[in-house]
Amino acid sequence: MRRFCSLASRASPFEKEQHCQTKLRVQKSAKVKSLTTPFARNPAAPSTGKNFKDPNLNPISITSAAVPKQNPRLHSKPIDHQYFTHILSRKDWYILLRQEFKARRVNLNCQSIISILQNQENPLLPLRFYIWVLSINPSFGKNQSIRGVLSNTLYRKGPVLLSAELVQDIRNSGSGITEDLLCVLIGSWGRLGLAKYCAEVYEQISYLGLSPSTRLYNAVIDALVKANSLDLAYLKFQQMQVDKCFPDRFTYNILIHGVCKVGLVDEALRLLKQMEGMGFAPNVFTYTILIDGFCTAKRVDEAFAFLEKMKEKNVTPNTATYRSLVNGLFRCLSPSEAFKLLSRWVDRELNLPKVACDAMLCCLSDSFLPREAAAFLRKCCQRGYAVDSSTFDVTMTCLIKGLDLEETCQLLDKFTELGTKVGLRTYLLIIEVLFSSGREEKGNQYLKQMLHDGLVRNVNSYNMLIDCFCKAKMIGLASEAFSKMHNREVMRLRRHKDCF
């Protein structure tokens, strides 16, 4: 108890923070009172156009590129996803959406389209909505974000099979099965492992009004590779020339990825040579796939050789390239051996790639090698490498659990002086260890810094702080933190009531 009393006699970090919080509340209160415009009292923007007449359905308001831009300060109503589910579930869904759009009750932009696609339980409904969107504005079909969300939705909630009823439903809407739509469907089937179904549908594309093309072949081959059906993928690759479709760089990259995934690196090199003979130079994706494949096959020397070959060909490695190399080495070798190889490579590199250092620190931390992680962290600091906040938190967690506490604190202080932002969990972990070991002064130093950085600002963070104090048996500080949280919550509710 004497320890608690001595702490209570000093001005605690919470008390020192109280004055700043009170001043901030006064400033916020003054700002609220100064709002005298009608929109301050009613933040909802006036609706443009007529409201939907059905009393069971709420009208929606979504910003459209076709409609003049509204004042960004005016808040639109949230999207009613049940409204769209109700319309898209009906047989006359296409006509209803057209009517709503003409009446400007349904407006389109990328964010609203993605939101509607993500919030439909029946996988058929987002497919219908996507078809209607393309009929309004075909340029949305080229948006990779929209296509990616639709593909993920069909994968998670599918499959959506191309039945005769679905084809007829699409045709009744005035649309048809386009090449874009079929590529999205084939991609979802491949991710679901429906390899034979992909091949069967492609054999019947003439009934859909489509002709074979390199793009469709690429979609089918990619789906077959994802479905782990490499034999069927090669069969389709051989059929391309029969249909007068010729492979391109995408075709070869897909096949190289497929053979590298199963460790057939020599076949990947054969495809690479054939690709270059066709006049297609390998790009960064080709090299990244090969580097990952060499690591999978435990041929690490060739992986480093291809990284150097990239530079000779003036192909700049990207984030995925460095991650594939680092993660691949830790995957195929023992962590200590991988660290030695990568350390020698880092020493030879004049321009240290930041993403490679991040990946190395994460792999060392996941492998629980605190000594090696601390040594590499010092090397990065000497070379002026600014550690990413999330990576630093992961590394510090490893060091706190496995390294000398004094050495860990020195590294933490050094990087905070350089401007590295430390996360709440890292602070709480080291504070708990310091308080438990009786180093209260150092623990209070980090506690003050954590409060100064504004990391304790809501109920969840206060709960984590209280839990930290209880684990360290600092019941006095835990009680003080609880009182502080309670007072802040009461003041927040009062401000909320005053606004009303």
Side-chain angles (χ1 to χ4, degrees):
M1 290 300 294
R2 187 179 62 184
R3 182 173 62 183
F4 299 153
C5 295
S6 63
L7 284 173
S9 63
R10 297 192 296 264
S12 70
F14 299 105
E15 293 170 347
K16 293 181 179 180
E17 187 195 18
Q18 183 69 39
H19 175 70
C20 296
Q21 294 295 336
T22 305
K23 185 176 180 180
L24 182 61
R25 286 197 297 269
V26 172
Q27 292 175 349
K28 288 184 178 179
S29 177
K31 289 182 180 179
V32 171
K33 292 180 180 179
S34 65
L35 295 175
T36 56
T37 63
F39 290 108
R41 295 189 297 272
N42 182 17
S47 175
T48 58
K50 300 177 181 178
N51 290 333
F52 190 70
K53 299 301 182 182
D54 191 340
N56 296 321
L57 299 176
N58 296 328
I60 62 170
S61 175
I62 309 170
T63 306
S64 171
V67 182
K69 291 184 178 180
Q70 299 179 0
N71 191 331
R73 292 176 297 179
L74 311 184
H75 301 287
S76 60
K77 294 182 179 179
I79 300 173
D80 189 346
H81 296 105
Q82 291 184 352
Y83 165 83
F84 284 99
T85 302
H86 173 78
I87 288 182
L88 291 167
S89 301
R90 296 181 50 160
K91 292 184 178 181
D92 55 349
W93 58 274
Y94 195 87
I95 297 174
L96 291 176
L97 286 175
R98 278 277 185 180
Q99 291 175 349
E100 293 299 301
F101 182 74
K102 288 181 179 179
R104 292 195 173 184
R105 289 190 289 265
V106 179
N107 301 317
L108 301 176
N109 61 28
C110 180
Q111 184 178 1
S112 63
I113 294 171
I114 289 175
S115 177
I116 294 168
L117 292 175
Q118 289 177 327
N119 288 276
Q120 303 300 321
E121 291 301 323
N122 187 343
L124 178 61
L125 305 188
L127 183 66
R128 284 179 169 180
F129 185 71
Y130 180 75
I131 293 168
W132 173 76
V133 166
L134 294 189
S135 69
I136 299 297
N137 189 347
S139 64
F140 282 122
K142 299 179 182 179
N143 189 297
Q144 294 299 321
S145 298
I146 295 176
R147 288 170 59 88
V149 168
L150 177 64
S151 178
N152 290 333
T153 303
L154 296 178
Y155 166 67
R156 291 196 305 268
K157 301 177 182 179
V160 174
L161 302 181
L162 202 58
S163 62
E165 292 79 6
L166 177 58
V167 174
Q168 189 59 45
D169 181 42
I170 294 173
R171 287 174 176 171
N172 290 341
S173 69
S175 302
I177 303 295
T178 63
E179 194 174 84
D180 287 335
L181 181 61
L182 187 57
C183 285
V184 173
L185 287 170
I186 289 174
S188 68
W189 299 332
R191 294 174 67 183
L192 289 167
L194 304 177
K196 291 184 178 179
Y197 186 73
C198 292
E200 290 172 0
V201 169
Y202 189 79
E203 294 297 331
Q204 303 177 42
I205 60 172
S206 59
Y207 296 103
L208 302 174
L210 298 173
S211 301
S213 67
T214 299
R215 184 184 179 192
L216 282 174
Y217 263 112
N218 287 344
V220 173
I221 294 172
D222 183 54
L224 295 175
V225 167
K226 289 177 179 175
N228 297 319
S229 185
L230 200 57
D231 52 346
L232 275 177
Y234 263 85
L235 180 61
K236 290 301 174 186
F237 177 64
Q238 294 170 356
Q239 289 178 355
M240 290 185 72
Q241 293 185 357
V242 177
D243 288 331
K244 296 181 179 180
C245 298
F246 301 97
D248 55 13
R249 184 186 287 111
F250 295 103
T251 315
Y252 283 106
N253 279 347
I254 292 167
L255 283 174
I256 290 173
H257 172 64
V259 295
C260 283
K261 191 165 65 170
V262 295
L264 301 176
V265 187
D266 292 327
E267 174 62 15
L269 293 175
R270 188 192 69 81
L271 288 170
L272 177 65
K273 186 178 293 186
Q274 183 179 339
M275 172 183 172
E276 292 175 329
M278 294 284 291
F280 300 112
N283 57 12
V284 63
F285 302 105
T286 315
Y287 285 113
T288 300
I289 293 167
L290 286 167
I291 289 171
D292 186 69
F294 281 122
C295 291
T296 302
K298 298 184 178 181
R299 293 161 63 171
V300 294
D301 292 337
E302 292 173 87
F304 282 109
F306 261 83
L307 185 63
E308 295 301 320
K309 190 175 181 179
M310 289 182 69
K311 299 176 182 178
E312 294 174 2
K313 298 285 186 180
N314 293 323
V315 180
T316 304
N318 60 11
T319 299
T321 309
Y322 289 118
R323 290 189 187 279
S324 296
L325 178 65
V326 175
N327 294 330
L329 287 178
F330 273 92
R331 186 175 65 245
C332 70
L333 301 175
S334 66
S336 57
E337 188 177 354
F339 173 66
K340 291 178 182 178
L341 284 174
L342 287 169
S343 294
R344 289 198 292 265
W345 169 68
V346 167
D347 291 336
R348 294 194 305 266
E349 288 291 314
L350 296 178
N351 296 321
L352 185 63
K354 181 179 182 300
V355 63
C357 296
D358 286 338
M360 281 188 64
L361 287 170
C362 288
C363 288
L364 289 170
S365 301
D366 291 340
S367 303
F368 197 70
L369 297 174
R371 291 275 172 206
E372 290 79 356
F376 188 71
L377 203 58
R378 292 190 187 93
K379 182 183 293 186
C380 293
C381 183
Q382 292 172 359
R383 299 188 60 172
Y385 161 59
V387 185
D388 180 75
S389 296
S390 58
T391 305
F392 186 72
D393 286 341
V394 172
T395 308
M396 289 305 302
T397 301
C398 173
L399 300 185
I400 292 169
K401 293 180 179 179
L403 198 64
D404 178 71
L405 188 57
E406 181 65 30
E407 190 176 353
T408 303
C409 291
Q410 290 176 1
L411 280 170
L412 180 59
D413 294 340
K414 189 171 187 178
F415 275 89
T416 50
E417 288 175 3
L418 294 175
T420 302
K421 296 297 182 182
V422 183
L424 175 64
R425 293 183 182 276
T426 302
Y427 270 129
L428 292 178
L429 183 58
I430 197 166
I431 287 171
E432 177 187 341
V433 173
L434 288 169
F435 279 157
S436 299
S437 61
R439 301 184 59 181
E440 300 167 7
E441 184 177 353
K442 193 66 175 178
N444 279 325
Q445 175 188 332
Y446 289 132
L447 176 60
K448 292 175 184 177
Q449 184 62 42
M450 181 178 66
L451 296 173
H452 179 269
D453 292 343
L455 298 178
V456 183
R457 54 179 178 269
N458 53 37
V459 174
N460 184 46
S461 56
Y462 267 103
N463 287 339
M464 294 171 65
L465 181 61
I466 293 170
D467 181 65
C468 168
F469 288 149
C470 290
K471 289 179 179 178
K473 298 182 181 180
M474 303 293 290
I475 308 302
L477 286 177
S479 176
E480 188 178 351
F482 178 78
S483 300
K484 175 71 174 177
M485 178 184 69
H486 177 72
N487 293 335
R488 289 191 61 171
E489 186 65 15
V490 169
M491 292 301 298
R492 186 188 67 81
L493 293 174
R494 286 180 180 176
R495 290 198 302 271
H496 186 67
K497 183 177 180 181
D498 291 341
C499 291
F500 279 101

